[in-house]
Amino acid sequence: MVLGVSLAALVAAALTAVPPAQPVVAAGTTLYVDGKHGDDGNSGLSWNAALRTINRAARKIPRFAPAAGWTVIVRGYADHIYRERPVPGGYARWGTDSNPVVFMADGWTPGGTSYTKPVVSGGIAAPLPGKSWQPDTAGVWSTAWNETPGGFDRAKPYSAAIFQGQTRWLWQHASLADLRGKAHRGDGGYWYDAGAQRLYVATRGGVTPGSVSIEVPVRMGFYFAGSSGAHHISVRGFSIRHAMMGVTFHLGADFNTAFDNDVLGSSPMAFATSGRVLSGGGVDEAVGNAFLRNTASYSVLQGFKVDAGSRNTVICDNTIHHNAVQGVKVQGAADGGDPRQTRGTEVCGNLISDQDARRPGASRNDENPNGVTLSNGAKGSYVHHNTIRRNTVGIQVNQRGSGGDPIGGTQISRNVIAGNHHAGLNLRDGVASRSDGIGSLVGRYNVYSRNGTGIIVARGSTNKTFEHETVYDSVGNGVEVGCGGCATSEMDMTDSLISHNGRYGLVIGPGQDAQVSYVGLPSNRSGSVSGPAAKAHLNTQRAGYLSLDPASDDFVRIGATSFQYTAGLGGQPVGARY
């Protein structure tokens, strides 16, 4: 992975989209925040005169362009939590490329671990001070509560959650009656009665709520909006828990960065960016936002969401695990009347694992817990050098409705996609409408290992090509293309290795279109190919692997003495890892 080159190219491209030049502003002041020993009446200009809250420091930064170069340094403690909204709403401050506005942990260095990350919580612990839990019905307790939990929506059951402990979701139920009726299952859940101002909770496992912590997300995290003018802002080295959005650059906020933050239990997502539709027409894109070396876990929806109107977003070298719906979701506009497009997203070098806790009541295929989802016309996504494992689906390409803008220009390269329960790669962009499935996708040098199915090209998905892929040890088939009586699917595969799968190496439904050449298909349990593929230059001789260990540099690399080694076009090796 050449991350430095990618970022340099990103910055060069982004500079051409900067608004007209503003007067040069001198670098700003540094403010210091110490939650244990500071006071918001202090100046904040030294540790001896430190402020107590991040929010107060954020307010002291001058508005508009004079904010450039100002820095807020926050001291972290193992025994102190900043329970606050760190940045006030409508934050109208911005920096420049050389002088961003910075919120930073004391002692932060890029990728460093020798400092204590300040813990910022957007949650309120239940019960409130002076209040207690009261038994309601079997398995349900209630307490006085006067603030609506983040994301609570009576019309959308199981779309929001509060937390038992740090990481266990208690999902919103359809009604109080529903919660009471299902409490005996031990799955947990909650309901909020705004009229009575009471919070009702059923814990996981049926334990009394007084014996565990209950955290209710209510406050925003580090949220910046382009509609307020926010751009060139950087958030570095924080631990953010149970917030409404962990670190977010929304509504056209440009050229912002999030480095080395740990975001846990956010509602609905940990990190996000989006553009906006202007009132007079047109689009204000969110351009050039970068998220590097962060951790996103146990979010109610996504770890990272690149939403409609985002351009040249970078999500690299992060650890993304145990989010409820997707690790990373990149999407254009779901509404055909929405002019926002999403273009040029790079997802690289991440560990994306264990998105496997499906929400109760979720039934749509696109709501499976996927490692990476590309949807709704996203253009030019480049997904490379990631390890994507133990999700329901590793990578899914999906359109939510018919008549949308096709997802096109997708590149998936040099990923290890392993142990995903349903599929390594699931191409569903043509399921709603065949015309939606025509967007181009190229897969190169990926390893798909121990997935339910290696690659699925679902009905109506066309214009998909694969080169130097290795599909190994799937529970079922290695590659599946279309189905009988379905809209035509299309796949071309060359110079690839499909081996040791639990059923067939390659299955093509009747009437589907699969062109396969210079592909090795040895040792698949049910046989090499099932169905009417156009086949040329295949071989099924045993492959001499050097390693079957995913941790090895030689993982599914075939040996130089194996016939498979020179089975490709012009005698070149087949499969990935070359």
Side-chain angles (χ1 to χ4, degrees):
M1 179 181 64
V2 285
L3 180 56
V5 174
S6 297
L7 289 175
L10 170 68
V11 170
L15 289 176
T16 65
V18 175
Q22 301 174 5
V24 175
V25 179
T29 301
T30 297
L31 297 172
Y32 298 87
V33 177
D34 186 330
K36 288 183 71 173
H37 306 295
D39 189 300
D40 279 350
N42 289 340
S43 68
L45 296 177
S46 68
W47 284 119
N48 289 334
L51 300 164
R52 189 171 187 83
T53 66
I54 306 166
N55 186 284
R56 177 58 179 154
R59 291 176 182 273
K60 287 179 73 70
I61 295 175
R63 288 166 60 85
F64 311 131
W70 280 65
T71 298
V72 175
I73 299 179
V74 183
R75 180 155 288 171
Y77 293 96
D79 59 349
H80 178 77
I81 297 175
Y82 292 85
R83 287 189 178 270
E84 57 173 296
R85 178 173 180 171
V87 178
Y91 201 63
R93 281 85 166 166
W94 53 83
T96 66
D97 185 53
S98 58
N99 284 311
V101 178
V102 177
F103 294 85
M104 183 173 72
D106 181 30
W108 174 85
T109 57
T113 59
S114 61
Y115 64 97
T116 300
K117 293 187 175 184
V119 178
V120 179
S121 175
I124 296 177
L128 297 171
K131 305 298 181 181
S132 62
W133 292 106
Q134 303 296 321
D136 177 74
T137 57
V140 178
W141 289 263
S142 74
T143 188
W145 197 258
N146 56 14
E147 196 157 356
T148 302
F152 178 81
D153 187 340
R154 288 172 174 267
K156 297 180 180 179
Y158 306 107
S159 62
I162 64 176
F163 288 85
Q164 177 177 322
Q166 296 293 319
T167 60
R168 305 189 78 183
W169 297 293
L170 301 178
W171 293 101
Q172 174 201 318
H173 279 242
S175 64
L176 179 55
D178 183 55
L179 178 66
R180 288 167 170 164
K182 295 177 179 177
H184 67 279
R185 296 182 180 181
D187 296 331
Y190 86 96
W191 182 256
Y192 177 58
D193 187 331
Q197 291 197 321
R198 293 199 72 80
L199 179 70
Y200 294 81
V201 169
T203 61
R204 285 183 177 264
V207 300
T208 60
S211 66
V212 294
S213 66
I214 303 294
E215 290 280 342
V216 183
V218 295
R219 291 183 293 262
M220 301 296 290
F222 287 91
Y223 179 92
F224 304 96
S227 56
S228 300
H231 61 80
H232 288 96
I233 297 173
S234 186
V235 181
R236 307 172 183 177
F238 289 87
S239 177
I240 304 162
R241 301 176 185 171
H242 307 128
M244 293 293 295
M245 321 284 280
V247 181
T248 311
F249 307 125
H250 263 193
L251 301 174
D254 301 328
F255 309 118
N256 306 287
T257 59
F259 301 150
D260 300 299
N261 303 286
D262 298 336
V263 180
L264 179 148
S266 281
S267 177
M269 65 276 299
F271 299 88
T273 181
S274 75
R276 63 180 174 132
V277 179
L278 299 172
S279 59
V283 174
D284 178 15
E285 293 183 312
V287 181
N289 294 311
F291 304 87
L292 307 181
R293 299 184 306 272
N294 303 284
T295 298
S297 62
Y298 297 97
S299 302
V300 171
L301 292 182
Q302 296 92 15
F304 289 79
K305 187 171 187 179
V306 182
D307 214 337
S310 301
R311 175 159 59 92
N312 295 348
T313 305
V314 174
I315 301 172
C316 290
D317 300 320
N318 303 283
T319 300
I320 307 164
H321 65 92
H322 290 97
N323 298 286
V325 183
Q326 292 105 2
V328 179
K329 185 173 187 179
V330 181
Q331 69 172 17
D335 182 351
D338 188 332
R340 294 176 298 169
Q341 293 187 345
T342 294
R343 298 176 286 165
T345 304
E346 182 177 13
V347 180
C348 66
N350 304 289
L351 172 59
I352 306 172
S353 71
D354 298 287
Q355 274 66 229
D356 63 355
R358 183 168 177 161
R359 293 179 296 156
S363 59
R364 292 175 57 90
N365 188 283
D366 61 333
E367 291 182 340
N368 282 332
N370 305 325
V372 177
T373 293
L374 309 177
S375 67
N376 300 339
K379 304 292 186 187
S381 300
Y382 184 26
V383 181
H384 64 98
H385 290 91
N386 302 283
T387 297
I388 305 172
R389 66 189 185 198
R390 296 194 304 269
N391 309 283
T392 297
V393 174
I395 301 175
Q396 181 150 289
V397 179
N398 190 83
Q399 298 282 71
R400 291 201 62 177
S402 62
D405 193 20
I407 302 166
T410 305
Q411 298 183 64
I412 300 174
S413 177
R414 298 187 184 276
N415 302 284
V416 174
I417 304 170
N420 298 286
H421 310 314
H422 177 55
L425 173 63
N426 192 16
L427 304 179
R428 290 180 47 82
D429 48 328
V431 168
S433 170
R434 182 178 175 185
S435 63
D436 294 348
I438 64 174
S440 63
L441 177 145
V442 177
R444 296 188 179 100
Y445 293 99
N446 299 289
V447 172
Y448 305 83
S449 173
R450 305 186 316 280
N451 302 290
T453 300
I455 299 172
I456 298 174
V457 184
R459 64 181 186 270
S461 184
T462 62
N463 201 17
K464 309 301 188 287
T465 62
F466 298 93
E467 306 167 358
H468 288 280
E469 302 281 71
T470 296
V471 183
Y472 173 80
D473 202 23
S474 304
V475 174
N477 300 309
V479 179
E480 297 178 0
V481 181
C483 54
C486 297
T488 300
S489 301
E490 174 192 309
M491 179 205 74
D492 291 353
M493 179 174 283
T494 62
D495 296 313
S496 296
L497 181 64
I498 305 174
S499 175
H500 282 87
N501 295 289
R503 298 183 67 189
Y504 285 96
L506 173 63
V507 174
I508 305 98
Q512 306 302 305
D513 186 358
Q515 307 288 327
V516 185
S517 61
Y518 296 100
V519 172
L521 286 151
S523 307
N524 296 290
R525 182 169 297 177
S526 298
S528 300
V529 180
S530 173
K535 303 180 285 290
H537 304 286
L538 304 185
N539 77 75
T540 58
Q541 297 192 36
R542 180 186 177 94
Y545 296 114
L546 296 181
S547 174
L548 305 183
D549 178 7
S552 168
D553 290 339
D554 290 325
F555 174 48
V556 296
R557 185 198 299 265
I558 60 176
T561 59
S562 168
F563 182 81
Q564 297 288 332
Y565 189 82
T566 55
L569 178 65
Q572 66 183 352
V574 299
R577 302 296 244 186
Y578 292 99

